[in-house]
């Protein structure tokens, strides 16, 4: 029985970097890749892939041989750890090779053309997506924006670009203490505003939480230490009773021949979490039960409620239909003797979806929606349109008059829905019927709403529409239309 699980979210808690550790990381990368992908590859392709990986390791090690990070660590351990994270999350040989080489172009004489010739165009594309724009004619802020825009456009072609960036950012956040505090805060802010919501949009909830927690620890170090102390005290004071509860649950599941893992999960640090420490265990602790099949999950829920009485109104069933936050599980709260506790029950397959999202085998990803988001962000006036990135967090499902499903971000208005259907529908929209009731275009949509847009023959776009819309597509279309109207007015005045 695995009774404790926590993501590694403590910065700068690294092992010693030596030949033994390097060999262990390399061996684990190789083992993970062969385990995850060896069965789907022919013997020849597998042998070629392993040879390419070994060449990439040798090239990266040689390229970074004389480089040392500000922490004093040999630089090669950074791409090696990034490659290890990529392999752990079901990424393929090309992705892991790109992870190993992702700083070679940026920091050494090796070029993208060299990478392409030696490892192929697929690896070259991924490395390009992780390479910063370098132009002496651009300011630092302009280079950052151009780099971000390039990542978005390449992510439309290959989603692995962003996934590799997540691992790169996690490792940088974990080893950030050598940088000056202002630079640390800048990186942490960028992580929270850009990469956390994008990870959630890709279904990578565990990755998003880890990024968010690492950023919060950097931004609020004193609160983080106080929170860690409070959680540690709570864990120690409840260790015995939680152990007894886990044993009781495990025994009843085993008696009914349900193969399950029962795990503790303590809430990761955030400002919201820190504000709930006074509420104790129910706010900071969840017991996770992981089973093989959905039927086992429902059976486990029944057995759990037989063992401990459930709290009325606390049951949530998101096992088959994801919640607006993306997780798929049965959630309940029970009274286990003197302890009130939250319990989540899910399957191993759905757990993989939560951990790796789009990278997990069998995960259903709305690639068209994602491509539209990336393209809209890249086409916007600012690649750092943080308001538009709300699309990458919680989402809702709404329906057209014909019953077709459309996915929108939580907080979207009827105006966002209109522009999602078609730009001309948005430009000519005047009001909306939501579930048969007439509402204004600024009305916020709820999960399950049926939406019918009413139009006029003349466009009625107003500047205040920018305050009503949250999606990149709607905001970009409104901006373009308003600019065109201003230009037409100026031209008319010039003609007069």
């Amino acid at each position: 029985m695995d009774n404790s699980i926590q993501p590694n979210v403590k910065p700068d808690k690294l092992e010693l970097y030596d030949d033994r550790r390097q060999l262990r990381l390399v061996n684990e990368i190789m083992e993970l890749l062969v385990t995850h992908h060896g069965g789907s590859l022919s013997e020849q392709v597998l042998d070629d892939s392993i040879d390419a990986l070994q060449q990439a390791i040798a090239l990266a090690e040689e390229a970074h041989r004389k480089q040392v990070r500000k922490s004093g660590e040999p630089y090669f351990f950074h791409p090696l750890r990034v490659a290890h994270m990529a392999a752990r999350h079901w990424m393929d040989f090309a992705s892991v090779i790109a992870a190993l080489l992702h700083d070679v172009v940026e920091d050494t004489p090796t070029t993208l053309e060299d990478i392409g010739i030696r490892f192929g165009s697929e690896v070259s594309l991924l490395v390009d997506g992780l390479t910063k724009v370098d132009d002496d004619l651009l300011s630092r802020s302009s280079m950052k924006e151009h780099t971000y825009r390039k990542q978005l456009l390449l992510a439309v072609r290959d989603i692995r670009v962003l996934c590799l960036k997540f691992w790169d950012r996690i490792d940088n956040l974990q080893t950030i203490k050598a940088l000056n505090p202002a630079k640390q805060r800048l990186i942490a802010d960028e992580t929270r505003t850009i990469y956390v919501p994008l990870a959630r949009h890709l279904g990578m909830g565990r990755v998003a939480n880890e990024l968010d927690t690492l950023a919060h620890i950097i931004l609020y170090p004193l609160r983080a230490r106080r929170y860690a102390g409070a959680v540690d005290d709570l864990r120690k004071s409840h260790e015995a009773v939680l152990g007894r509860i886990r044993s009781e649950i495990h025994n009843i599941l085993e008696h009914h021949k349900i193969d399950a893992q029962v795990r503790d999960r303590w809430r990761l640090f955030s400002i919201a979490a820190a504000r709930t420490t006074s509420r104790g265990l129910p706010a900071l602790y969840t017991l996770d039960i992981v089973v093989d099949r959905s039927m086992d999950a429902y059976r486990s829920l029944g057995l759990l409620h037989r063992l401990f009485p459930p709290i009325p109104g606390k049951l949530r069933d998101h096992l088959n239909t994801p919640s607006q936050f993306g997780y798929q599980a049965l959630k309940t709260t029970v009274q286990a003797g003197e302890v009130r506790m939250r319990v989540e029950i899910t399957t191993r397959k759905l757990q993989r979806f939560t951990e790796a999202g789009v990278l997990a085998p069998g995960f259903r990803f709305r690639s068209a929606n994602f491509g539209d988001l990336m393209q809209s962000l890249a086409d916007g006036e600012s690649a750092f349109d943080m308001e538009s990135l709300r699309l990458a967090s919680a989402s809702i499902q709404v329906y057209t008059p014909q019953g077709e499903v459309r996915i929108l971000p939580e907080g979207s208005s009827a105006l966002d829905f209109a522009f999602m259907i078609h730009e001309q529908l948005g430009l000519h929209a005047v009001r909306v019927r939501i579930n048969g009731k007439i509402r204004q275009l600024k009305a916020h949509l709820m999960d399950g709403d049926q939406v019918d847009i009413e139009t006029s023959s003349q466009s009625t776009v107003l500047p205040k529409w920018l305050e009503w819309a949250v999606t990149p597509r709607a905001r970009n279309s409104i901006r373009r239309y308003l600019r065109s109207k201003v230009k037409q007015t100026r031209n008319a005045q010039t003609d007069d």
Side-chain angles (χ1 to χ4, degrees), residues 435-447:
N435 302 324
K437 296 181 179 179
I438 295 177
R439 303 286 298 278
Q440 291 183 326
L441 292 172
K442 66 180 179 181
H444 285 185
L445 301 177
M446 302 294 288
D447 205 31

Side-chain angles (χ1 to χ4, degrees), residues 403-423:
E404 298 174 352
V405 176
R406 292 290 186 270
I407 308 298
L408 284 165
E410 184 183 24
S412 291
S413 66
L415 198 58
D416 292 301
F417 174 85
F419 278 100
M420 169 174 268
I421 299 300
H422 196 280
E423 185 175 51

Side-chain angles (χ1 to χ4, degrees), residues 219-254:
L219 293 170
Y220 308 101
L222 293 179
R223 289 190 185 186
R225 284 196 289 272
R226 287 198 297 269
Y227 180 79
V231 170
D232 192 50
D233 291 342
L234 200 62
R235 181 189 287 113
K236 289 177 180 176
S237 64
H238 287 80
E239 186 174 4
V241 67
L242 290 178
R244 176 179 56 77
I245 292 170
R246 285 195 306 268
S247 294
E248 289 185 48
I249 293 173
H250 189 268
N251 288 340
I252 195 172
L253 295 178
E254 191 176 55

Side-chain angles (χ1 to χ4, degrees), residues 434-493:
I434 301 176
N435 302 324
K437 296 181 179 179
I438 295 177
R439 303 286 298 278
Q440 291 183 326
L441 292 172
K442 66 180 179 181
H444 285 185
L445 301 177
M446 302 294 288
D447 205 31
D449 281 346
Q450 188 167 40
V451 187
D452 187 7
I453 301 295
E454 297 184 2
T455 62
S456 70
S457 57
Q458 300 296 320
S459 179
T460 57
V461 178
L462 300 172
K464 65 182 178 182
W465 281 18
L466 287 171
E467 301 173 9
W468 300 351
V470 301
T471 60
R473 173 180 285 189
R475 292 169 67 85
N476 291 344
S477 296
I478 293 166
R479 289 191 188 107
R480 282 196 298 268
Y481 181 84
L482 292 174
R483 282 199 299 267
S484 69
K485 294 299 290 185
V486 169
K487 186 179 295 185
Q488 289 175 14
T489 301
R490 287 176 179 170
N491 291 341
Q493 290 174 346

Side-chain angles (χ1 to χ4, degrees), residues 117-376:
I117 292 171
R118 190 163 178 180
F119 298 98
S121 58
E122 184 180 9
V123 172
S124 178
L125 171 70
L126 296 175
V127 172
D128 188 25
L130 297 172
T131 303
K132 296 175 184 175
V133 171
D134 187 12
D135 191 331
D136 294 336
L137 300 178
L138 296 175
S139 65
R140 176 171 294 190
S141 60
S142 295
M143 282 195 294
K144 179 177 286 189
E145 184 158 340
H146 278 70
T147 297
Y148 178 55
R149 196 183 298 273
K150 181 180 80 168
Q151 284 179 355
L152 296 180
L153 291 174
L154 288 176
V156 174
R157 295 170 58 186
D158 197 324
I159 195 63
R160 294 174 295 176
V161 168
L162 272 183
C163 297
L164 288 170
K165 184 61 185 177
F166 296 152
W167 318 138
D168 181 43
R169 180 53 58 99
I170 286 174
D171 190 70
N172 283 333
L173 290 172
Q174 289 174 336
T175 58
I176 203 171
K177 288 298 182 184
L179 301 182
N180 69 69
K183 183 70 177 292
Q184 291 184 40
R185 289 192 294 271
L186 188 67
I187 293 171
D189 275 328
E190 181 187 62
T191 300
R192 290 184 62 203
T193 53
I194 296 175
Y195 295 109
V196 169
L198 284 175
R200 295 199 192 285
H201 188 73
L202 296 180
M204 304 170 79
R206 191 69 58 84
V207 175
N209 290 341
E210 188 166 356
L211 285 166
D212 195 44
T213 298
L214 286 166
H216 269 92
I217 290 172
I218 292 163
L219 293 170
Y220 308 101
L222 293 179
R223 289 190 185 186
R225 284 196 289 272
R226 287 198 297 269
Y227 180 79
V231 170
D232 192 50
D233 291 342
L234 200 62
R235 181 189 287 113
K236 289 177 180 176
S237 64
H238 287 80
E239 186 174 4
V241 67
L242 290 178
R244 176 179 56 77
I245 292 170
R246 285 195 306 268
S247 294
E248 289 185 48
I249 293 173
H250 189 268
N251 288 340
I252 195 172
L253 295 178
E254 191 176 55
H255 179 73
H256 287 81
K257 295 181 171 52
I258 297 176
D259 183 20
Q261 291 177 311
V262 184
R263 304 172 170 180
D264 293 335
R265 174 160 52 91
W266 294 91
R267 190 172 178 181
L268 299 177
F269 171 68
S270 67
I271 297 302
R275 288 172 179 159
T276 65
T277 53
S278 60
R279 292 165 52 192
L281 198 73
L284 303 179
Y285 171 82
T286 299
L287 185 72
D288 286 332
I289 300 175
V290 184
V291 297
D292 289 330
R293 302 173 301 167
S294 296
M295 183 58 68
D296 291 337
Y298 287 109
R299 290 177 61 208
S300 299
L301 179 68
L303 293 170
L304 176 70
H305 285 173
R306 182 191 302 177
L307 197 61
F308 304 119
I311 305 303
K314 295 294 186 179
L315 177 62
R316 300 286 184 273
D317 184 352
H318 291 293
L319 199 62
N320 296 304
T321 303
S323 75
Q324 63 186 109
F325 301 105
Y327 70 83
Q328 288 183 257
L330 298 171
K331 298 185 69 174
T332 187
T333 301
V334 299
Q335 190 69 40
E338 70 275 21
V339 174
R340 179 169 293 192
M341 58 192 293
R342 292 187 296 190
V343 181
E344 288 191 16
I345 307 172
T346 190
T347 67
R348 289 179 172 83
K349 177 180 178 182
L350 296 178
Q351 184 193 40
R352 287 197 299 271
F353 290 172
T354 300
E355 290 178 353
V358 66
L359 297 176
F363 183 83
R364 288 183 294 177
F365 178 58
R366 302 182 183 92
S367 56
N369 286 4
F370 178 78
D372 180 57
L373 167 65
M374 295 296 99
Q375 192 66 53
S376 297

